[in-house]
């Protein structure tokens, strides 16, 4: 699969402060790419560089195989973290204005706005002033103006902040639909639960460096600890645990409600692998649950940052 | 270009549709004219009321004909009563004041011992009229004593009125200089006010975009420079619209006013003069008024109006770029205070120089220099213009103004570009200097 966006060796300094230190990311086409990292890691700086709001000190940004040019803004839709609308301006008028700034004609903008306002059931708000809307309502309008011009690349910075759970789900579904229609989505956040659900690819930023990137499933495999969660019943061997501990690490164990039941956390060590473990267990009882403990994004996030801090 | 137009249009309509803009535009000319009419009406009412002054002349020097009633003063003889009674009569009666001329040995003693009693401090106009009357009579008496025919002297008095002419042969008037000063000063002052009003408008609009957090959405579509310029130009257009509306309203109102009150204007000017001189001066005043009007019509009104527009635009553009940079640097209006001083000072300096220097010497070196410096030239040059300024000076000052504007926009854009993305910290002058180098 080809990359829609490549940012190569980006460096950005603000005076003495380095925001991005030789950062490279590759965003595959029609994917959802998570840009993760704690506050101040450099996510917003990179996003602003892609949006040509600021210029990098060095490095290049390639969009769709060509270096980024000012005219490319019409191919990008950006919903910043710090977002808002003109409070005194009417919703419809404002959406039209922002759409035209993105290069749409008035006619085209009106047609598409009408579609989206119906879709998100906010047609009644067209003539209202923004200051009359709630924060969540204003966010819906903001979402529409971000995606209205059907950009190839969509960038959302903390998109779910300010939404109630119902509307957050609605927006999440819309983002997935846009991806299915061929749009590429960059999605910056420090909230990990949304990353698990949405992102195929991630890059983890910390203190101006890209410390980890790639396909989320690959990264998870890399971070796996070879630990398995096991629940058994009808255990025939009284010395199961003892025998098990000869070949495997037992991290925790507890007896079940009845004598011949147990739940365990077992880590594979040495030359043994998962198959050896499951074969052994199957010989001595019935397996109710057997699953590998895969780290979630949050654990990966914390581990990687701790590792980065140690390396410094 | 297309996007710039969009921004200009939005900024223009955002200003024009604002309720305060409508109120300001329609109400202020009405207020100006209304206040003018009120002042005129009140001063007329004030003059119409006749003040009764009782008098007691112990010296018996003043004659009956001296106490001739004028338009505003009516004298009442209280000589048939004692001074104490006369005073209490005046105090409790419907009198404005009481004049007492004592009996003394010499005229000069009398002159310094005349007393005027009144319930409230008397108006200067009344006192000087009474003084003039007394002075006239006492002078006569002194002259007669020295054997000079005072009446003959009165007849021999002449009131010279030097006509001022320019070398091209046009008649001029002494008063016209005052009129020119008035026009120049008010034009300069107005420019200062409009620069501050519209500059602050630009600043507020920048701050609004920052506080509403729409700024990042916008600058992901357009360059910060385009946004800043669009804002400045859009606000300027709103200002020009306001000017033209005011122009039309004032024109209509002044036509109405002159047709309604026009007849009253001439006598009001002569109202302050003593009654016996009004007839003599009336013709002089009238011809003077005619000269002023002729002179006013000869003033290059259209060029002055044009220059006003051009200098307003130039000055506004220069300062609004500064205002935009300040707006971008701060988060809210209270934080602007520390940066406002360097903006306001040159403007105020311009007005002061106008009052102190241009009034006395419109083409002196101070006035000339400050009408070249771009930060003061819109104000000072406007003040000099009615006195006639060589075209090359105007051209030079405009070129300098324009060049500084371009430089200032370039500088302001750098501050603006960084400032609009900065939140939280209140910047110092040092921070802003650093932004210039990013």
């Amino acid at each position: 699969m080809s990359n829609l966006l490549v940012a190569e060796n980006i460096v950005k300094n603000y005076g003495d402060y380095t925001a991005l230190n030789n950062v490279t990311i590759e965003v595959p086409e029609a994917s959802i790419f998570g840009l993760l990292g704690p506050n101040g890691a450099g996510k917003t700086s990179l996003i602003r560089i892609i949006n040509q709001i600021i210029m990098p000190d060095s490095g290049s940004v390639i969009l769709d195989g060509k270096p980024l040019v000012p005219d490319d803004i019409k191919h990008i839709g950006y919903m910043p973290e710090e977002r808002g609308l003109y409070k005194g301006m009417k919703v419809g008028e404002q959406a039209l204005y922002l759409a035209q700034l993105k290069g749409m004609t008035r006619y085209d903008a009106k047609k598409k706005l009408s579609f989206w306002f119906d879709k998100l059931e906010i047609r009644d708000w067209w003539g209202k002033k923004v200051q009359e809307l709630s924060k969540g309502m204003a966010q819906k309008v903001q979402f529409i103006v971000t995606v209205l011009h059907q950009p190839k690349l969509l960038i959302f910075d903390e998109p779910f902040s300010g939404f109630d759970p119902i509307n957050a789900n609605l927006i999440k579904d819309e983002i997935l639909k846009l991806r299915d229609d061929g749009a590429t989505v960059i999605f910056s956040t420090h909230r990990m639960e949304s990353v698990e659900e949405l992102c195929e690819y991630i890059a983890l930023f910390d203190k101006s460096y890209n410390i980890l990137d790639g396909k989320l499933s690959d990264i998870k495999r890399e971070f796996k600890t070879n630990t398995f969660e096991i629940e058994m019943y009808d255990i025939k061997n009284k010395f199961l645990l003892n025998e098990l501990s000869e070949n495997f690490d037992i991290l925790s164990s507890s007896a079940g409600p009845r004598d011949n039941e147990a739940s365990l956390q077992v880590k594979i060590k040495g030359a043994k692998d998962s198959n050896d473990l499951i074969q052994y267990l199957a010989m001595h009882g019935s397996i109710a649950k057997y699953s590998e403990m895969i780290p979630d994004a949050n654990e990966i996030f914390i581990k990687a940052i701790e590792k980065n801090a140690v390396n410094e | 270009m297309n996007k710039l137009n969009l921004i200009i249009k939005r900024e223009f309509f955002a200003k024009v549709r604002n309720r305060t803009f409508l109120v300001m535009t329609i109400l202020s000319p009405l207020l100006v004219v209304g206040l003018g009419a009120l002042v005129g009406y009140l001063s007329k009412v004030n003059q119409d009321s006749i003040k009764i002054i009782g008098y007691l002349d112990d010296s018996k020097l003043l004659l009956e004909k001296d106490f001739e009633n004028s338009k505003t003063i009516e004298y009442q003889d209280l000589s048939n009563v004692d001074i104490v009674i006369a005073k209490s009569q005046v105090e409790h009666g419907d009198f404005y004041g009481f004049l007492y001329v004592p009996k003394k040995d010499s005229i000069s003693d009398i002159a310094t011992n005349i007393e005027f009693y009144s319930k409230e401090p008397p108006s200067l106009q009344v006192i000087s009229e009474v003084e003039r009357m007394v002075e006239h009579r006492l002078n006569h008496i002194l002259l007669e004593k020295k054997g000079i025919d005072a009446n003959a002297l009165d007849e021999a008095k002449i009131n010279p009125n030097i006509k001022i002419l320019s070398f091209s042969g046009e008649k001029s008037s002494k008063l016209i200089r005052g009129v020119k000063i008035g026009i120049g000063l008010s034009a300069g002052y107005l420019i200062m006010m409009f620069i501050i009003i519209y500059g602050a408008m630009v600043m507020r609009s920048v701050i609004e975009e920052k506080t509403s957090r729409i700024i990042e959405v916008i600058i992901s579509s357009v360059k910060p420079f385009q946004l800043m310029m669009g804002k400045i130009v859009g606000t300027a257009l709103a200002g020009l619209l306001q000017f033209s509306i005011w122009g039309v309203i004032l024109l209509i109102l002044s036509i109405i006013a002159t047709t309604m009150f026009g007849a009253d204007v001439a006598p009001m000017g002569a109202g302050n003069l003593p009654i016996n001189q009004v007839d003599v001066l009336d013709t002089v005043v009238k011809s003077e008024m005619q000269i002023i009007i002729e002179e006013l019509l000869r003033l290059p009104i259209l060029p002055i109006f044009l220059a006003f527009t051009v200098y307003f635009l130039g000055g506004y553009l220069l300062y609004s770029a500064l205002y935009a940079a300040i707006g971008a640097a701060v988060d809210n209006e209270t934080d602007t205070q520390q940066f406002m001083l360097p903006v306001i000072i040159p403007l105020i300096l311009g007005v002061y120089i106008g009052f102190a220097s241009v009034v006395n010497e419109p083409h002196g070196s101070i006035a000339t220099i400050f009408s070249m410096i771009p930060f003061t030239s819109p104000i000072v040059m406007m003040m000099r213009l009615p006195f006639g300024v060589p075209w090359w000076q105007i051209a030079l000052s405009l070129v300098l103004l324009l060049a500084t504007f371009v430089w200032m926009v370039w500088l302001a854009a750098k501050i603006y570009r960084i400032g609009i993305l900065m939140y939280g910290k209140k910047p110092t002058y040092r921070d802003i200097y650093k932004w210039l180098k990013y």
Side-chain angles (χ1 to χ4, degrees):
Chain A
M1 201 195 290
S2 65
N3 291 325
L4 180 80
L5 179 97
V6 178
E8 269 178 329
N9 307 110
I10 304 286
V11 176
K12 178 73 192 173
N13 296 301
Y14 300 108
D16 303 330
Y17 176 75
T18 303
L20 291 169
N21 206 334
N22 207 24
V23 164
T24 299
I25 62 163
E26 294 176 354
V27 183
E29 197 165 354
S31 67
I32 298 182
F33 186 96
L35 200 55
L36 318 175
N39 294 327
K43 295 174 305 218
T44 301
S45 287
L46 181 64
I47 288 175
R48 284 181 178 166
I49 286 170
I50 296 169
N51 277 295
Q52 303 179 77
I53 291 170
I54 53 175
M55 291 291 136
D57 296 341
S58 68
S60 59
V61 181
I62 314 272
L63 181 72
D64 221 0
K66 292 180 289 273
L68 204 62
V69 291
D71 201 38
D72 282 332
I73 50 165
K74 62 169 181 259
H75 300 307
I76 301 177
Y78 174 40
M79 188 157 96
E81 183 179 7
E82 298 287 1
R83 51 185 175 253
L85 298 162
Y86 288 113
K87 290 199 173 64
M89 214 172 162
K90 289 188 177 146
V91 172
E93 204 183 325
Q94 180 151 214
L96 270 178
Y97 171 64
L98 292 172
Q100 282 174 283
L101 281 188
K102 276 285 181 193
M104 293 176 82
T105 63
R106 201 181 158 81
Y107 175 78
D108 198 23
K110 219 167 188 168
K111 219 171 64 185
K112 293 220 171 74
L113 277 174
S114 167
F115 167 79
W116 274 102
F117 272 57
D118 281 340
K119 189 169 186 180
L120 298 188
E121 293 164 353
I122 58 170
R123 171 153 292 285
D124 299 345
W125 304 352
W126 185 272
K128 278 193 183 167
K129 284 187 176 174
V130 172
Q131 60 204 8
E132 300 169 44
L133 304 184
S134 73
K135 196 177 174 197
M137 292 159 121
Q139 299 269 29
K140 270 191 184 177
V141 178
Q142 201 108 43
F143 178 79
I144 292 175
V145 296
T146 309
V147 302
L148 192 72
H149 57 294
Q150 293 174 310
K152 286 190 252 182
L153 179 63
L154 279 162
I155 302 175
F156 297 102
D157 201 348
E158 297 293 353
F160 302 124
S161 69
F163 279 111
D164 59 68
I166 294 171
N167 279 322
N169 262 330
L170 185 78
I171 296 302
K172 197 166 71 192
D173 291 344
E174 291 301 332
I175 291 176
L176 285 170
K177 261 184 236 165
L178 287 165
R179 193 265 324 263
D180 295 342
D181 292 344
T184 307
V185 181
I186 295 178
F187 172 21
S188 161
T189 186
H190 53 256
R191 296 213 340 222
M192 291 306 141
E193 62 277 10
S194 45
V195 175
E196 300 268 351
E197 288 173 86
L198 287 172
C199 299
E200 294 161 63
Y201 297 86
I202 62 160
L204 180 55
F205 281 23
D206 186 36
K207 294 174 186 155
S208 81
Y209 289 95
N210 176 358
I211 56 172
L212 181 71
D213 63 352
K215 208 166 178 167
L216 186 59
S217 50
D218 293 344
I219 290 173
K220 280 192 162 181
R221 209 167 299 132
E222 205 179 300
F223 272 77
K224 73 181 178 184
T225 51
N226 286 326
T227 305
F228 293 84
E229 209 165 35
I230 300 155
E231 278 176 32
M232 293 188 72
Y233 60 97
D234 288 343
I235 299 170
K236 293 159 194 143
N237 185 348
K238 275 186 190 169
F239 306 104
L240 176 74
L241 287 181
N242 291 341
E243 285 179 29
L244 203 57
S245 64
E246 285 166 22
N247 293 314
F248 304 95
D249 276 342
I250 299 171
L251 300 181
S252 73
S253 66
S254 61
R258 274 170 282 168
D259 288 348
N260 55 357
E261 286 184 4
S263 54
L264 312 164
Q265 282 187 10
V266 177
K267 190 176 166 139
I268 290 165
K269 66 174 183 183
K272 304 284 181 185
D273 64 12
S274 171
N275 287 341
D276 297 330
L277 177 63
I278 202 164
Q279 266 174 22
Y280 178 83
L281 291 174
M283 287 193 306
H284 299 286
S286 304
I287 300 170
K289 181 180 173 189
Y290 182 87
S291 69
E292 185 166 10
M293 290 175 67
I294 294 183
D296 62 19
N298 204 26
E299 285 169 310
I300 295 174
F301 180 83
I302 292 165
K303 266 189 193 151
I305 285 167
E306 277 169 356
K307 214 171 96 192
N308 189 38
V310 170
N311 288 349
E312 265 178 12
Chain B
M1 210 52 213
N2 191 23
K3 285 182 184 173
L4 188 60
N5 282 342
L6 276 171
I7 297 168
I8 291 171
K9 228 162 73 187
R10 197 207 81 84
E11 292 296 332
F12 176 77
F13 283 115
K15 301 283 173 305
V16 171
R17 281 186 197 156
N18 196 310
R19 207 166 296 145
T20 45
F21 180 88
L22 285 173
V23 172
M24 271 273 286
T25 310
I26 293 167
L27 276 192
S28 33
L30 290 178
L31 238 119
V32 168
V33 172
L35 275 179
L38 189 71
V39 168
Y41 173 74
L42 284 181
S43 59
K44 239 181 109 187
V45 165
N46 214 18
Q47 271 177 4
D48 282 352
S49 74
I50 289 168
K51 301 177 176 75
I52 303 167
I53 293 175
Y55 70 91
L56 201 161
D57 180 16
D58 277 346
S59 68
K60 306 293 174 207
L61 286 174
L62 297 172
L63 307 177
E64 189 73 35
K65 68 168 183 184
D66 290 328
F67 294 108
E68 197 178 13
N69 294 338
S70 77
K71 244 183 155 180
T72 51
I73 298 178
E74 197 182 302
Y75 293 103
Q76 203 160 21
D77 190 1
L78 302 172
S79 299
N80 48 358
V81 292
D82 180 60
I83 172 155
V84 183
I85 298 165
K87 256 170 140 178
S88 83
Q89 246 178 27
V90 168
E91 197 177 347
H92 301 293
D94 197 14
F95 287 91
Y96 181 78
F98 172 61
L99 179 74
Y100 175 63
V101 186
K103 191 174 168 62
K104 294 277 173 184
D105 296 335
S106 70
I107 298 283
S108 57
D109 267 357
I110 291 173
T112 51
N113 280 299
I114 296 173
E115 288 161 341
F116 187 87
Y117 300 88
S118 66
K119 290 168 216 166
E120 312 154 26
S123 85
L124 271 179
Q125 203 188 323
V126 170
I127 284 294
S128 59
E129 197 176 327
V130 172
E131 265 179 355
R132 211 160 33 226
M133 183 269 289
V134 175
E135 180 195 340
H136 186 73
R137 176 52 52 208
L138 296 184
N139 252 338
H140 263 233
I141 296 165
L142 279 176
L143 287 169
E144 301 272 326
K145 271 190 178 169
K146 296 202 186 317
I148 299 163
D149 184 354
N151 285 328
L153 203 68
D154 266 357
E155 278 159 28
K157 244 184 199 151
I158 188 137
N159 231 330
N161 183 25
I162 297 175
K163 299 260 185 296
I164 299 166
L165 290 96
S166 70
F167 283 111
S168 47
E170 288 154 343
K171 267 190 194 167
S172 188
S173 145
K174 281 171 286 181
L175 278 176
I176 194 66
R177 191 180 162 83
V179 173
K180 281 177 174 177
I181 288 173
I183 290 176
L185 287 187
S186 40
Y189 194 79
L190 277 179
I191 283 196
M192 180 197 79
M193 268 182 39
F194 286 139
I195 286 176
I196 292 178
I197 291 174
Y198 292 107
M201 248 185 225
V202 170
M203 186 178 77
R204 266 197 297 276
S205 143
V206 175
I207 295 176
E208 190 214 330
E209 276 172 1
K210 264 190 93 170
T211 48
S212 72
R213 313 270 157 154
I214 197 176
I215 188 75
E216 205 168 336
V217 177
I218 304 252
I219 57 171
S220 67
S221 306
V222 299
K223 292 205 187 71
F225 183 76
Q226 283 176 310
L227 181 60
M228 191 179 92
M229 281 316 291
K231 211 174 265 306
I232 290 174
V233 175
T235 308
L237 290 180
L240 289 180
L241 177 72
Q242 198 165 37
F243 280 1
S244 19
I245 292 173
W246 281 344
V248 171
I249 292 179
L250 280 179
L251 201 73
I252 293 169
L253 286 179
S254 60
I255 288 170
I256 294 172
T258 42
T259 47
M260 279 175 71
F261 307 110
D264 291 4
V265 175
M268 260 172 74
N272 295 344
L273 295 163
I275 191 89
N276 53 345
Q277 286 181 39
V278 167
D279 288 339
V280 189
L281 280 179
D282 213 27
T283 51
V284 179
V285 168
K286 264 191 182 150
S287 60
E288 183 100 29
M289 293 274 276
Q290 273 164 0
I291 293 173
I292 289 174
I293 289 166
E294 277 168 25
E295 187 87 13
L296 270 179
L297 290 177
R298 250 204 314 277
L299 268 180
I301 288 174
L302 193 68
I304 286 181
F305 182 74
L306 260 172
F308 183 82
T309 315
V310 170
Y311 275 105
F312 161 68
L313 276 180
Y316 159 80
L317 288 173
L318 176 59
Y319 278 97
S320 63
L322 268 171
Y323 272 104
I326 294 173
V330 300
D331 281 359
N332 53 64
E333 227 174 313
T334 36
D335 287 351
T336 60
Q337 302 295 344
Q338 54 165 338
F339 299 114
M340 292 308 286
L341 205 62
V343 179
I344 299 288
I345 281 179
L347 287 172
I348 290 179
L349 186 72
V351 171
Y352 278 166
I353 282 166
F355 279 96
S357 176
V358 178
V359 167
N360 290 326
E361 247 188 304
H363 303 309
S365 52
I366 292 180
T368 309
I369 288 168
F370 279 96
S371 65
M372 292 295 140
I373 295 174
F375 290 93
T376 52
S377 67
I379 296 167
V380 179
M381 192 56 102
M382 266 330 289
M383 294 180 169
R384 288 183 62 202
L385 271 180
F387 299 98
V389 177
W391 68 267
W392 67 265
Q393 284 191 7
I394 298 177
L396 181 62
S397 86
L398 279 177
V399 167
L400 284 175
L401 186 60
L402 196 72
T404 317
F405 158 64
V406 171
W407 175 72
M408 187 53 70
V409 162
W410 175 78
L411 216 64
K414 287 185 131 191
I415 297 172
Y416 184 85
R417 191 164 57 95
I418 309 282
I420 45 176
L421 294 174
M422 293 283 176
Y423 286 105
K425 199 170 145 264
K426 198 168 141 186
T428 60
Y429 280 104
R430 248 184 71 173
D431 292 330
I432 289 179
Y433 177 70
K434 265 198 275 178
W435 297 352
L436 285 177
K437 294 196 294 186
Y438 277 174

